[in-house]
Amino acid sequence: MSTGTLRGLHDVRRHAREGRAYFVGKRVFDVVAASLALLLLLPVFILVAVWILIDSGGPVIFRQERIRGRRRGDDTWALESFTLLKFRTMVPNADPAIHREYMTAYIRSDRNRLAAMRPGRLDGESFRPRDDPRVTRAGRLLRALSLDELPQLWNVVRGDMSLVGPRPPLPYEVELYSPSDLLRLATPQGITGWAQVKGRSSVGFHDLVGRDLEYLERQSFGFDLKVLCLTVPAVLSRKGAD
């Protein structure tokens, strides 16, 4: 799906209360905080990169097309694609068909298909399939601690993302969205968000959208700081993580 097609089909108007000053302040904070984090976490980046190379060889960085909301001058939001960066947690050239099938069942709330793809999972546990054979040994721990997301700090510096906001979906996920689901993209996408600190992958899709829309209504500089502070205990608890 091309960027032009997305912009033409899905022009999303934002209903949250904050205006231009909030987004300017948010961008300044993002650049300063993400740049400092990149400098401070450089030793961690090096250790993770070496660990991945030893565990499963290269490449270290995984690049994936995602969709974000881009604010325009008339206060509408157009959707466009960008390249999201992550530490690679799967074997090289992993087949994406498994994830696409899972996301289709997840977004459509197909309980039977989800149960078949995640045998042994209990209610309240992660919606992700258990023991995905594509995930490497290093990748399992990186995902559990959310260390695989660290390269997205560079996405934040570049302006692709924010530190706080709804997580950016894949193009084939957006194709399954209803018009109301699309409203979750009417704000910059983030590394962490309200839905992530309230359950991560243990949250069903409709609950996830509801929490993202709640974030749109409540978003402010203070609320973003609250989400950032709640991210640390959410990651350490490992609830909904795989």
Side-chain angles (χ1 to χ4, degrees), residues 128-192:
R128 290 177 177 170
R130 185 190 294 273
D131 299 325
D132 189 328
R134 303 170 301 163
V135 180
T136 64
R137 290 175 301 176
R140 289 188 179 90
L141 185 56
L142 291 176
R143 287 183 171 203
L145 299 177
S146 295
L147 293 175
D148 59 319
E149 312 287 357
L150 288 180
Q152 288 159 47
L153 290 167
W154 181 242
N155 283 119
V156 173
V157 172
R158 289 180 50 182
D160 298 328
M161 298 173 62
S162 175
L163 290 174
V164 179
R167 289 292 295 163
L170 290 152
Y172 56 72
E173 296 175 40
V174 176
E175 291 174 356
L176 298 170
Y177 280 11
S178 69
S180 59
D181 296 336
L182 284 171
L183 288 174
R184 68 180 292 270
L185 303 178
T187 195
Q189 276 55 75
I191 295 178
T192 186

Side-chain angles (χ1 to χ4, degrees), residues 39-116:
L39 289 174
L40 293 173
L41 294 171
L42 182 58
V44 177
F45 275 74
I46 294 173
L47 288 173
V48 171
V50 171
W51 187 18
I52 292 173
L53 288 171
I54 292 174
D55 181 58
S56 60
V60 169
I61 298 295
F62 175 67
R63 293 170 172 82
Q64 188 176 57
E65 181 186 7
R66 295 290 183 105
I67 303 300
R68 65 181 176 187
R70 173 68 74 180
R71 188 172 186 261
R72 305 195 306 188
D74 58 354
D75 285 335
T76 60
W77 288 78
L79 304 189
E80 60 184 31
S81 62
F82 73 100
T83 300
L84 178 137
L85 305 177
K86 300 179 73 171
F87 281 122
R88 182 176 58 81
T89 59
M90 292 187 175
V91 296
N93 302 313
D95 184 359
I98 296 175
H99 184 265
R100 184 164 191 160
E101 182 182 3
Y102 156 70
M103 287 307 304
T104 299
Y106 177 66
I107 292 172
R108 292 177 175 171
S109 299
D110 186 339
R111 292 182 174 273
N112 292 333
R113 187 60 194 142
L114 284 172

